C-alpha cells in the first residue's frame, strides 16, 4: 500500500488563496499555521477566507478541512474538482453560493481563483453568487471589479486554448456598503470549457495599444455621474488613443433584508456608489486594466474617479511587459499547470518584483514546480522588461482523459 505524502507546511495568511488553489490542482495536503496569530482582536481566519473555503468545498468532492479552535491553524486535504455536478442532466446544475454580509472583499477575490480551477474540473463550473456580501465593484481592499475580470482576465484564457462557453454575467450591481462591508449584488459565472492540459504559451511581443474600452457604472445614484467620469477619462486618454469607448450602466441600489421588531419584512438599500473600469488592448492581444470606485464613505467627485482611473491605466501600461500586474499570477499558474514544455512570457520588472509574485514563485517551488528562468528581454522596444521561462508540470485534468 502506497504511503500518503506528508502535508506541505506554510505559515501566515499571506497568499492563502493561491496556496489552496495550488493544493487543489496538485492534490497535495497543506498545513497552514500562524494565521494572524499575533493579532489581539481578530486572530485566525477572516470571514472572507472562511467563505472561500466553503466555496472550495462546494466545487470539489472529498475535500477535508480541519480548522483549529482559534482559527490560526488550517489543514486542507483537497478532493476532486467536480464543478457543478450536483444538478440533474449531463451539464450539471447551478451552484447557488451566498456570501455573508460581513464580507469586505470584492467578488473578484473569489472569481479569479475559481476560474483557475474551472478548466481542470470534471464538469462545467456554474456558480451563482448571491447574498448581502456580493460586491461587484472594485474595493478599498485592492480587489478589481467584476467588469475587469470579464474584460481583462477571462480573455487571457484564449492564449491557453480555453475559450468555449465562458460567460460572466452581472445580474445586479453593487458597490461596497457601510465601512466597506456587504453589497447585495448578484453575479453568474459559467465556465464550460474543460481541457486536458493548457497549451504552452509564448508571448514576448507586447505590441502597441490600439484601443481602450471601459464600463462606467452608477448604483443607486444619479446617472449624470457616469457622463462626468467618462468626460474626464476621455479628456486624458483621447489624445493618446483616439479609439476609446466607455459603456455606461445605471442600476438601482440592491435591497437586502433588514428586519426589526416592528416590521420583520423590512429591507434596506445598500451598495450605493459609482466607479469606472478601463481596459487597454494592444495590437498583439495583451490587456492592461485599471479600476477605481467611489469610497464607501463618499465625498469623492466623479471627475476625480475618472482622472484617477485614466492615470492608473497609463501607469499599468507604462510598467511594460505583456501582462498587467492583476493578471500575472493567473498567467504564471496556468503556464505551470500546462504541458511539460518551456513557456515564455515577457513581463515588466515592477510586475515580477511584486512581493506577491515572488511569494507565488516560492509557493510553486514548494509544490514541486521547477523554478522560473529569468533573463533580460532583447530588442528595440524592451524598456527593461524580462523574459520569464516556465516549465510546465503537466498536471492537467484528472477528470478528463481525452484532450
Amino acid at each position: 500500500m502506497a504511503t500518503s505524502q506528508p502535508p506541505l507546511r506554510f505559515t501566515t495568511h499571506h497568499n492563502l488563496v493561491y496556496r489552496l488553489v495550488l493544493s487543489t490542482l496538485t492534490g497535495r495536503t497543506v498545513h497552514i499555521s500562524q494565521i494572524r496569530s499575533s493579532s489581539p482582536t481578530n486572530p485566525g481566519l477572516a470571514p472572507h477566507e472562511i467563505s472561500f473555503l466553503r466555496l472550495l468545498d462546494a466545487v470539489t468532492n472529498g475535500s477535508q478541512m480541519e480548522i483549529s479552535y482559534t482559527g490560526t491553524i488550517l489543514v486542507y486535504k483537497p478532493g476532486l474538482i467536480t464543478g457543478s455536478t450536483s444538478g440533474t442532466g449531463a451539464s450539471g446544475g447551478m451552484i447557488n453560493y451566498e456570501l455573508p454580509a460581513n464580507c469586505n472583499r470584492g467578488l473578484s477575490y473569489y472569481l479569479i481563483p475559481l476560474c483557475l480551477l474551472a478548466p481542470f474540473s470534471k464538469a462545467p463550473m456554474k456558480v451563482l453568487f448571491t447574498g448581502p456580501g456580493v460586491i461587484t465593484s472594485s474595493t478599498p481592499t485592492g480587489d478589481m471589479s467584476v467588469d475587469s475580470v470579464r474584460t481583462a482576465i477571462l480573455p487571457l484564457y484564449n492564449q491557453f486554448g480555453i475559450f468555449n462557453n465562458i460567460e460572466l454575467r452581472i445580474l445586479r450591481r453593487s458597490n461596497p456598503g457601510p465601512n466597506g462591508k456587504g453589497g447585495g449584488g448578484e453575479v453568474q459565472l459559467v465556465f464550460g470549457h474543460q481541457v486536458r492540459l493548457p497549451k504552452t504559451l509564448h508571448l514576448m511581443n507586447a505590441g502597441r495599444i490600439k484601443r481602450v474600452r471601459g464600463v462606467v457604472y452608477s448604483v443607486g445614484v444619479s446617472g449624470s455621474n457616469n457622463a462626468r467620469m467618462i468626460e474626464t477619462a476621455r479628456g486624458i486618454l483621447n489624445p493618446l488613443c483616439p479609439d476609446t469607448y466607455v459603456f455606461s450602466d445605471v442600476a438601482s441600489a440592491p435591497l437586502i433584508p433588514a428586519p426589526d421588531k416592528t416590521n420583520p419584512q423590512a429591507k434596506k438599500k445598500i451598495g450605493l456608489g459609482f466607479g469606472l473600469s478601463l481596459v487597454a488592448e494592444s495590437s498583439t492581444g495583451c490587456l492592461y486594466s485599471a479600476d477605481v470606485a467611489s469610497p464607501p464613505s463618499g465625498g469623492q467627485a466623479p471627475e476625480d474617479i475618472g482622472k484617477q482611473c485614466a492615470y492608473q491605466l497609463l501607469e499599468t501600461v507604462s510598467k511594460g511587459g505583456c501582462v498587467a500586474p492583476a493578471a500575472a499570477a493567473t498567467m504564471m499558474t496556468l503556464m505551470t499547470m500546462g504541458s511539460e514544455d518551456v513557456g515564455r512570457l515577457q513581463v515588466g520588472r515592477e510586475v515580477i518584483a511584486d512581493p506577491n509574485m515572488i511569494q507565488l514563485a516560492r509557493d510553486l517551488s514548494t509544490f514541486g514546480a521547477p523554478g522560473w528562468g529569468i533573463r533580460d528581454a532583447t530588442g528595440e522596444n524592451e524598456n527593461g522588461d524580462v523574459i520569464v521561462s516556465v516549465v510546465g508540470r503537466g498536471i492537467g485534468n484528472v477528470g478528463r482523459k481525452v484532450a
Side-chain angles (χ1 to χ4, degrees):
M1 181 177 174
T3 56
S4 59
Q5 294 176 304
L8 299 173
R9 296 185 176 271
F10 298 97
T11 56
T12 77
H13 64 282
H14 296 296
N15 231 29
L16 177 79
V17 166
Y18 279 99
R19 286 169 177 170
L20 293 173
V21 167
L22 293 173
S23 168
T24 310
L25 289 172
T26 57
R28 292 294 303 270
T29 304
V30 291
H31 178 284
I32 304 174
S33 58
Q34 299 176 31
I35 302 173
R36 298 187 182 88
S37 55
S38 59
S39 172
T41 53
N42 296 308
L45 292 164
H48 56 269
E49 292 163 348
I50 297 285
S51 296
F52 183 74
L53 284 169
R54 286 175 46 230
L55 178 62
L56 270 183
D57 190 45
V59 299
T60 59
N61 184 19
S63 296
Q64 298 175 15
M65 303 168 195
E66 296 175 20
I67 303 173
S68 67
Y69 183 73
T70 56
T72 55
I73 300 175
L74 166 68
V75 178
Y76 173 66
K77 185 177 181 181
L80 183 68
I81 310 168
T82 53
S84 308
T85 54
S86 57
T88 57
S91 61
M94 181 77 66
I95 296 173
N96 196 337
Y97 187 73
E98 189 168 321
L99 287 174
N102 59 354
C103 181
N104 65 346
R105 299 300 297 258
L107 195 59
S108 59
Y109 176 84
Y110 305 94
L111 284 173
I112 294 174
L114 191 62
C115 290
L116 275 175
L117 296 174
F120 305 98
S121 72
K122 190 174 181 181
M125 192 82 76
K126 300 177 183 178
V127 184
L128 178 66
F129 291 93
T130 58
V134 178
I135 304 171
T136 63
S137 72
S138 55
T139 61
T141 48
D143 299 307
M144 66 198 312
S145 69
V146 177
D147 292 289
S148 290
V149 175
R150 180 172 53 82
T151 54
I153 302 290
L154 290 182
L156 297 175
Y157 284 79
N158 289 347
Q159 313 269 9
F160 299 92
I162 306 167
F163 49 82
N164 285 337
N165 195 18
I166 300 174
E167 287 184 79
L168 185 57
R169 302 191 193 103
I170 303 174
L171 306 178
R172 191 186 301 136
R173 289 188 178 277
S174 174
N175 277 45
N179 301 317
K181 292 184 178 180
E186 194 171 321
V187 174
Q188 182 182 356
L189 171 70
V190 176
F191 205 114
H193 192 168
Q194 278 64 49
V195 292
R196 180 72 188 95
L197 281 170
K199 289 182 179 176
T200 304
L201 179 70
H202 299 282
L203 189 59
M204 293 179 291
N205 182 10
R208 292 180 176 273
I209 301 300
K210 65 176 182 178
R211 61 168 164 252
V212 176
R213 294 290 181 265
V215 177
V216 62
Y217 47 87
S218 292
V219 182
V221 294
S222 170
S224 63
N225 293 319
N226 286 2
R228 292 161 66 182
M229 283 186 281
I230 291 173
E231 186 178 1
T232 309
R234 288 192 60 154
I236 296 168
L237 296 174
N238 269 4
L240 304 170
C241 180
D243 186 6
T244 301
Y245 181 80
V246 183
F247 174 78
S248 175
D249 188 9
V250 180
S252 56
L255 293 168
I256 63 168
D260 55 30
K261 290 181 180 179
T262 57
N263 185 4
Q265 304 298 323
K267 294 187 176 183
K268 66 175 181 179
K269 288 184 177 180
I270 193 173
L272 280 71
F274 46 84
L276 174 59
S277 160
L278 291 173
V279 176
E281 184 182 348
S282 77
S283 53
T284 55
C286 302
L287 299 170
Y288 308 88
S289 62
D291 250 313
V292 181
S294 58
S297 56
Q300 197 162 4
E303 287 82 3
D304 294 341
I305 299 285
K307 183 189 295 185
Q308 192 178 337
C309 193
Y311 283 134
Q312 187 178 317
L313 182 69
L314 295 177
E315 183 186 0
T316 305
V317 174
S318 72
K319 289 182 179 178
C322 297
V323 60
T330 298
M331 298 285 274
M332 292 299 183
T333 307
L334 283 171
M335 289 172 74
T336 305
M337 294 300 128
S339 55
E340 297 178 13
D341 195 1
V342 179
R344 292 171 295 171
L345 178 66
Q346 182 171 314
V347 296
R349 283 183 187 274
E350 285 185 55
V351 178
I352 200 70
D354 184 85
N356 292 328
M357 285 300 294
I358 295 170
Q359 188 59 55
L360 177 65
R362 289 173 175 159
D363 289 348
L364 284 168
S365 179
T366 306
F367 278 97
W372 296 346
I374 300 177
R375 60 181 173 84
D376 288 326
T378 56
E380 299 176 4
N381 301 321
E382 323 308 342
N383 303 318
D385 291 350
V386 295
I387 302 286
V388 181
S389 302
V390 181
V391 181
R393 277 207 61 191
I395 296 293
N397 186 347
V398 294
R400 186 183 175 92
K401 297 301 181 188
V402 287

